[in-house]
Amino acid sequence: MNDKENFSIVEYFGNDKGHKCGYCKGSNSNLSHGMWAHTMNIQDYENLINRGWRRSGHYCYKPMMKDTCCPQYTIRCNAKDFQMNPSHKKVLKKVRNYLSKETNFNTKPEESSITDHNDCASESLTMIRSHEQHHASPPNKSEVLILSKLSKEKPGSTTILKCNPKTIEEFLDENYHNSSQKLKIKLVESTPTGLKDTLLIEYKLYVKYQIHVHHDKEEECTLEQFKRFLVNSPLQKSHSKSGCSTGYGSFHQQYWIDGELVAVGVVDILPSCLSSVYFFYDPDYNFLSLGTYASLREIAFVRQLGQVDPNFVYYYLGFYIHSCPKMFYKGQYKPSFLLCPETYTFLPFAEAVLKLDRNKYSRLLENVDSSEEKKVLSKVGIVYRRQATTFGIYSSLKRLDEDEVKEIEQYAVLVGNKSASRMLLYRS
């Protein structure tokens, strides 16, 4: 097992009885397994999201894929090989154009033709309550070189030139994208200490966002609910000499324009990936497509951190629901992959959706053995009477009824042998 200070301690709740689905609006059709993470090692949480789990505050849940109304597939993008599409470039150019000009908000900005992909990540919020002017830019250096070379060609001659597309780093270069320094991006720890100067500012923005975008009632958006949902995190803060300079754990990435907080991305930095938890923004800035912009910024952030740690490669976008059209944009962050709910291996997005076109639930990989993990119940980590032990020892100390044994067996299958032996399952 882990060193004592790195133990993850969880309390398994089993299956829920169903709650309202934020996608198809079914009253009690959204079904999941749940557990409460009192404290969580970052490696354990990465292992969990690679088995279809996701957290909302301290609450971790895994959709019951075969039974729930809208199966939710874990989706990730290989940020190292990320390829921007034309819509992504338009958003970056739109924000650059805004940052380069003095904009008077008394005049309504030109409406964007690009959908603001801020995800309906509110499934996390639903869960915790019951338990997301196209202006031409100056030519870049490669364009200038092409024009220069073409100008020297003889009339009638044909030249085929290949030009590497601009990278996301070139689009976001400070001297090019944010030359006026109007935009400041700050990464702060998701703790009361890290947020001591900005917690109430964030909360006010969050309330405005929830009311205007998700049509929540103001009385539902309490400060305690905000902290429970987006500030409190079970992830243990840690550092590695050879790892990410930011350290690992939960963070808020704040976007400030001219000293005003306009958006916040809540993220988890894990051993090999950045996992997007939630994103909220000022609806007055909707014309900037800040949801898409933040996703591109987060991908660029993964690539930046990956320069120090070559194993830090992936950007997790939460869940993908094939029956929800608002989710289609997630597959446009290429190359992206969906997690098979039975083999727990990732399949390229384009291949996976062919199966989902036929059935909303599908085993995505057919030729992989999903029975490779045998139940090793005796090695399941247990915390009992404030002592860390294993199921084998625990069962010798206490007479267990059949229901408790079945519950622990179910937990071990859902989290996987690796996590089950590393984490400590609380027993009273």
Side-chain angles (χ1 to χ4, degrees):
M1 285 189 187
N2 330 43
D3 295 333
K4 186 174 180 180
E5 65 271 21
N6 292 327
F7 279 155
S8 297
I9 301 177
V10 300
E11 194 167 350
Y12 181 58
F13 296 150
N15 309 342
D16 67 21
K17 296 180 180 179
H19 56 271
K20 184 177 180 179
C21 178
Y23 305 104
C24 70
K25 308 305 180 184
S27 58
N28 291 294
S29 57
N30 194 332
L31 303 169
S32 64
H33 306 280
M35 64 183 177
W36 186 267
H38 293 275
T39 180
M40 181 73 70
N41 175 283
I42 55 168
Q43 185 60 63
D44 289 337
Y45 184 60
E46 181 169 307
N47 292 341
L48 287 177
I49 64 174
N50 285 331
R51 290 186 70 87
W53 290 83
R54 183 163 165 79
R55 78 171 185 88
S56 178
H58 280 258
Y59 184 75
C60 299
Y61 59 100
K62 175 180 168 63
M64 297 169 62
M65 297 291 281
K66 290 184 179 180
D67 302 314
T68 192
C69 55
C70 299
Q72 301 166 57
Y73 296 82
T74 297
I75 182 170
R76 74 182 185 185
C77 167
N78 183 330
K80 181 179 179 181
D81 298 330
F82 174 63
Q83 305 162 8
M84 283 191 296
N85 65 29
S87 291
H88 297 151
K89 296 175 183 178
K90 286 180 180 179
V91 170
L92 293 179
K93 289 178 180 178
K94 179 167 55 176
V95 175
R96 174 186 177 271
N97 178 72
Y98 174 76
L99 295 174
S100 67
K101 290 186 175 182
E102 292 294 332
T103 302
N104 183 355
F105 268 101
N106 292 325
T107 304
K108 185 178 179 181
E110 181 179 336
E111 291 295 330
S112 168
S113 61
I114 302 172
T115 302
D116 182 16
H117 304 310
N118 183 45
D119 184 37
C120 17
S122 57
E123 88 272 358
S124 297
L125 182 54
T126 302
M127 184 68 65
I128 201 168
R129 282 177 177 170
S130 59
H131 283 217
E132 156 120 16
Q133 292 75 3
H134 311 317
H135 296 273
S137 59
N140 58 34
K141 291 181 179 179
S142 58
E143 292 171 336
V144 173
L145 288 173
I146 291 174
L147 293 173
S148 175
K149 190 165 184 177
L150 286 174
S151 68
K152 296 177 182 178
E153 293 294 327
K154 295 179 181 180
S157 65
T158 302
T159 301
I160 299 177
L161 298 174
K162 293 184 178 180
C163 175
N164 292 327
K166 285 175 66 173
T167 65
I168 190 170
E169 286 79 13
E170 290 175 302
F171 271 97
L172 292 174
D173 178 78
E174 280 291 287
N175 293 326
Y176 170 77
H177 184 76
N178 188 31
S179 59
S180 63
Q181 297 296 302
K182 292 178 66 173
L183 172 67
K184 302 289 184 183
I185 301 178
K186 300 177 183 178
L187 187 73
V188 298
E189 292 183 17
S190 185
T191 62
T193 302
L195 291 167
K196 65 178 181 179
D197 296 326
T198 57
L199 177 63
L200 295 181
I201 299 174
E202 278 200 12
Y203 169 61
K204 183 178 179 181
L205 177 63
Y206 168 77
V207 172
K208 183 177 181 180
Y209 168 79
Q210 291 296 137
I211 292 174
H212 287 83
V213 177
H214 291 295
H215 310 295
D216 286 359
K217 297 178 181 178
E218 186 172 358
E219 56 268 24
E220 295 176 330
C221 304
T222 66
L223 179 59
E224 285 306 310
Q225 182 268 336
F226 170 70
K227 290 193 291 186
R228 188 171 67 249
F229 175 41
L230 294 175
V231 178
N232 300 341
S233 169
L235 299 190
Q236 300 161 5
K237 181 71 176 175
S238 64
H239 289 84
S240 171
K241 291 182 179 179
S242 59
C244 298
S245 58
T246 58
Y248 302 92
S250 300
F251 298 85
H252 286 204
Q253 199 160 38
Q254 301 174 337
Y255 296 78
W256 299 79
I257 295 180
D258 286 336
E260 177 186 359
L261 183 66
V262 299
V264 177
V266 183
V267 300
D268 292 332
I269 299 180
L270 305 172
S272 69
C273 66
L274 182 147
S275 175
S276 176
V277 177
Y278 201 70
F279 179 76
F280 56 99
Y281 63 90
D282 188 333
D284 291 342
Y285 288 81
N286 188 56
F287 65 96
L288 288 179
S289 303
L290 289 176
T292 301
Y293 182 74
S295 291
L296 295 171
R297 277 285 185 178
E298 289 171 359
I299 288 173
F301 188 37
V302 174
R303 289 162 64 98
Q304 176 189 335
L305 296 177
Q307 292 177 0
V308 176
D309 181 0
N311 295 317
F312 197 85
V313 174
Y314 296 106
Y315 174 56
Y316 283 68
L317 296 91
F319 287 137
Y320 171 79
I321 301 174
H322 194 58
S323 59
C324 179
K326 291 182 179 180
M327 290 282 186
F328 291 172
Y329 77 91
K330 291 189 177 185
Q332 298 305 308
Y333 293 97
K334 300 179 180 179
S336 57
F337 305 83
L338 293 184
L339 181 70
C340 176
E342 296 183 20
T343 65
Y344 299 115
T345 50
F346 282 90
L347 185 72
F349 182 84
E351 295 180 39
V353 295
L354 293 177
K355 294 179 178 292
L356 299 182
D357 282 339
R358 296 191 291 270
N359 296 292
K360 66 179 182 179
Y361 173 80
S362 176
R363 174 183 172 130
L364 301 181
L365 287 174
E366 299 294 343
N367 299 321
V368 177
D369 183 8
S370 60
S371 61
E372 56 184 338
E373 280 200 345
K374 296 181 179 179
K375 297 178 183 178
V376 190
L377 197 58
S378 63
K379 295 184 180 180
V380 172
I382 299 288
V383 59
Y384 177 59
R385 293 180 177 175
R386 300 186 179 183
Q387 295 294 318
T389 185
T390 63
F391 177 82
I393 297 175
Y394 170 65
S395 61
S396 69
L397 297 174
K398 179 183 178 183
R399 185 175 180 178
L400 307 180
D401 60 34
E402 185 178 349
D403 288 343
E404 182 173 7
V405 174
K406 286 183 177 180
E407 180 183 284
I408 297 175
E409 283 182 341
Q410 183 184 62
Y411 157 81
V413 169
L414 293 172
V415 303
N417 284 339
K418 183 187 296 185
S419 294
S421 63
R422 287 171 53 95
M423 303 192 303
L424 296 178
L425 176 64
Y426 172 79
R427 309 312 292 173
S428 59

